[in-house]
Amino acid sequence: MSDQAIERLAAYAPLGDAASGLRYLLLDVFSSKPLEGNQLAVVLDGRGLEDARMQALARELNLSETVFLLPADGDESDVRARIFTPAAELPFAGHPVLGTAAVVSRALALPAVTLETGAGPVPVEVQERGARVSFGWMRQPLPRPSAFDQEAALLGALGLEASALPVTAYENGPRHIYVAVQDEAAVAALRPDFGALARLGEGIGVNCFAGAGSSFKSRMFAPALGVPEDPATGSAAGPLALHLARHGRIAYGQEIEIRQGAEIGRPSLLHARVRGSDEELEAVEVGGAAVLVAAGAFVLD
């Protein structure tokens, strides 16, 4: 095909000026490289959209999460962020908060952003690291640990005989379950029964991990939320650091790196640390990069 034909195709605009539609940005989060990390759509103005419309738009994009920005209800936050998977709304999720904070920070020229979420206000410190790359640290809601009463069914769905640490649930908006696998090769080799995982209950993310020192590998499965496997799970990174600290695998205050997403072609890098002690948890912080990769608009009406 000639260059002239390609140039004509590049200028093809059958829908007219899409900028007049419902505008959104696409980012890759927990990566500084485009086309890696976890994809995120941020709809810049969600005013006037009903809940069902937001859910339909998130399903149309079919990313792990889509965020809709709205005015904050009080003075404590800069904007309100509503977070949707293709199947449901979440009160909080990590990579949507981090990516959204990168957008708001640049748009409003703020070095620190507080997002109003369904789990409360989440502050994020943001640094620009290039024309389209930012790095942020978010202070997450403190996770609440609890026992998980379906351990046998969970291990069966994962094809595992046992977990190297107690199977524990942590809730910080989403509910994450943690299973310690023998080694990183065994994590990579997992082939879960997604139907069986989905039957464990709605809103559950299953996190399988292995590693040592400050370096860990993780995979997260949430088929009941419409996300068979997540490339990078910021909401799970903080509780993972807490789980490791509670069981003596790392020290409180120690920063860890979590690698995720390689098995689905979206390598991601997350940073996490927890401050405090077994008696009193002070803070859970998760960091990572976000890069802007595209802009678009819905032209539905």
Side-chain angles (χ1 to χ4, degrees):
M1 186 176 287
S2 68
D3 288 343
Q4 184 179 17
I6 293 295
E7 290 170 3
R8 288 177 62 189
L9 286 170
Y12 181 54
L15 298 177
D17 183 10
S20 63
L22 185 64
R23 297 175 55 230
Y24 61 90
L25 301 177
L26 289 176
L27 298 96
D28 290 334
V29 184
F30 291 117
S31 174
S32 59
K33 298 179 181 179
L35 311 184
E36 296 184 2
N38 202 349
Q39 299 160 289
L40 173 72
V42 179
V43 177
L44 299 173
D45 185 358
R47 292 176 297 177
L49 294 177
E50 297 180 353
D51 293 2
R53 191 67 150 177
M54 291 183 185
Q55 186 64 74
L57 292 169
R59 189 161 47 245
E60 178 74 14
L61 289 168
N62 202 35
L63 305 176
S64 294
E65 281 95 6
T66 297
V67 172
F68 297 85
L69 295 183
L70 298 160
D73 288 335
D75 297 331
E76 191 175 14
S77 302
D78 296 293
V79 295
R80 181 185 179 197
R82 295 188 63 182
I83 304 167
F84 287 79
T85 76
E89 183 173 7
L90 298 177
F92 169 78
H95 98 274
V97 165
L98 187 62
T100 299
V103 170
V104 174
S105 172
R106 285 181 180 266
L108 302 183
L110 296 173
V113 172
T114 299
L115 300 181
E116 179 186 308
T117 74
V122 180
V124 187
E125 295 182 0
V126 184
Q127 295 178 341
E128 294 185 7
R129 294 190 174 178
R132 294 181 292 118
V133 179
S134 301
F135 189 98
W137 277 99
M138 74 184 97
R139 186 164 178 166
Q140 297 188 336
L142 297 181
R144 301 185 301 275
S146 62
F148 185 64
D149 59 5
Q150 301 181 74
E151 180 174 338
L154 171 60
L155 294 175
L158 293 170
L160 297 173
E161 294 183 358
S163 172
L165 292 176
V167 174
T168 306
Y170 292 82
E171 189 166 345
N172 59 359
R175 188 172 188 233
H176 289 289
I177 318 300
Y178 291 84
V179 178
V181 183
Q182 178 181 0
D183 53 36
E184 294 191 11
V187 174
L190 288 171
R191 298 294 183 268
D193 181 337
F194 290 117
L197 288 181
R199 289 191 292 272
L200 293 174
E202 295 182 3
I204 290 177
V206 175
N207 298 266
C208 302
F209 66 92
S214 296
S215 179
F216 293 84
K217 177 182 179 63
S218 180
R219 295 176 69 184
M220 198 285 276
F221 310 107
L225 287 171
V227 184
E229 181 167 357
D230 200 29
T233 316
S235 61
L240 174 57
L242 176 59
H243 191 54
L244 294 167
R246 290 180 66 223
H247 292 285
R249 294 291 183 92
I250 65 171
Y252 282 93
Q254 179 180 344
E255 182 179 326
I256 63 172
E257 292 185 350
I258 304 166
R259 288 163 283 110
Q260 189 177 339
E263 287 72 22
I264 54 175
R266 304 286 306 192
S268 307
L269 182 63
L270 304 86
H271 303 259
R273 59 196 180 205
V274 295
R275 292 189 281 111
S277 64
D278 286 345
E279 292 73 30
E280 183 177 3
L281 180 61
E282 297 174 4
V284 174
E285 299 168 322
V286 172
V291 55
L292 177 65
V293 296
F298 286 103
V299 282
L300 303 176
D301 299 322

